[in-house]
Amino acid sequence: MDRRISDTTRRGFLKTLAVGAGGYALGSVLIQPMDAMGESLQENLGKVPIEARWAISSDGLVNYQLSNFKALLDTVGRDKFIETVNKNSFFLGTQSAGLAKKFEFTGSGAKSFAAMSTAMVTVYYGPKQEYTIEESTPEKVTVKCVNCAFWNAVQTRKITEDLCSTNSQAWWSGFAQAVNPKLTSTLVKARPLGDSVCEWAIELKA
């Protein structure tokens, strides 16, 4: 057999096969473009409303934080847990004040701080987070959390230890100090301590 004729024929056959396969693939795309190519990232994201994305992301954050707190408590015990969470949450509160400034939250009194802090926690914990603000003056405010995503997650997972009161005190204190060193935030009621709500007393010192 002439080797040149065999190789040429083989190359021609493979070329024909490749062209035919390409034509079949192109035909599939033209006939069923969505099945062949799929939808784009933006098209898929467009099907998920912004509030649903927020709820999903915040739920993930809440459960991640809850798992970390539980693991820390189980590993180091109550005293070390309180020391660590106090330090870290105070720092995160100060950082959150910087983020609030970036979003152009304004004010330095008790009333404006209450509006800023509750807004930032809601950004983190999601659209189901609910607060009431009472005794609202520039010098003194009472803030009550009437629906808390973190506490709800604690109840769902049937965790009985207090994982949030230390964090709630420290984060709000750090936020207050960063907004105005004359502001104080004191956690006076907490659900894990047996109260029906979590409550903070915000004061602007003279």
Side-chain angles (χ1 to χ4, degrees), residues 119-135:
M120 282 307 305
V121 177
T122 304
V123 167
Y124 295 138
Y125 279 5
K128 293 183 179 180
Q129 195 78 7
E130 293 181 34
Y131 294 92
T132 61
I133 298 177
E134 303 171 2
E135 295 184 52

Side-chain angles (χ1 to χ4, degrees), residues 19 25 38 46 66 89 92 98 102 137 167 174 177 186:
V19 171
L66 174 54
S89 294
L92 290 173
K102 181 179 179 180
T137 71
N167 173 62
Q177 287 291 296
T186 305

Side-chain angles (χ1 to χ4, degrees), residues 13-145:
F13 170 75
L14 292 175
K15 182 178 180 180
T16 302
L17 183 62
V19 171
Y24 176 80
L26 178 60
S28 296
V29 170
L30 294 175
I31 294 169
Q32 295 179 309
M34 298 305 290
D35 288 339
M37 298 178 65
E39 296 183 64
S40 72
L41 166 65
Q42 293 303 321
E43 286 172 326
N44 282 327
L45 282 177
K47 296 178 179 180
V48 185
I50 291 295
E51 185 144 319
R53 300 185 208 179
W54 178 24
I56 292 167
S57 298
S58 60
D59 183 65
L61 173 63
V62 166
N63 280 284
Y64 179 77
Q65 184 184 46
L66 174 54
S67 295
N68 277 352
F69 282 174
K70 183 67 167 70
L72 177 64
L73 178 61
D74 291 346
T75 301
V76 303
R78 172 61 60 182
D79 290 344
K80 189 65 176 178
F81 172 85
I82 291 174
E83 178 187 340
T84 302
V85 172
N86 259 327
K87 179 181 178 180
N88 292 343
S89 294
F90 186 92
F91 172 76
L92 290 173
T94 65
Q95 296 298 296
S96 294
L99 189 58
K101 184 177 181 180
K102 181 179 179 180
F103 289 137
E104 300 183 348
F105 293 5
T106 59
S108 58
K111 183 177 181 179
S112 56
F113 169 76
M116 294 165 63
S117 55
T118 53
M120 282 307 305
V121 177
T122 304
V123 167
Y124 295 138
Y125 279 5
K128 293 183 179 180
Q129 195 78 7
E130 293 181 34
Y131 294 92
T132 61
I133 298 177
E134 303 171 2
E135 295 184 52
S136 184
T137 71
E139 293 76 31
K140 187 175 181 180
V141 177
T142 297
V143 177
K144 294 181 179 180
C145 180

Side-chain angles (χ1 to χ4, degrees), residues 142-162:
T142 297
V143 177
K144 294 181 179 180
C145 180
V146 296
N147 190 47
C148 178
F150 190 92
W151 178 249
N152 292 342
V154 167
Q155 297 303 293
T156 297
R157 292 169 60 169
K158 302 184 186 306
I159 295 172
T160 57
E161 297 98 334
D162 176 7

Side-chain angles (χ1 to χ4, degrees), residues 69 81 150-151 154 162-169 187 192 198:
F69 282 174
F81 172 85
F150 190 92
W151 178 249
V154 167
D162 176 7
L163 298 178
C164 57
S165 60
T166 300
N167 173 62
S168 294
Q169 172 59 47
L187 183 69
C198 288

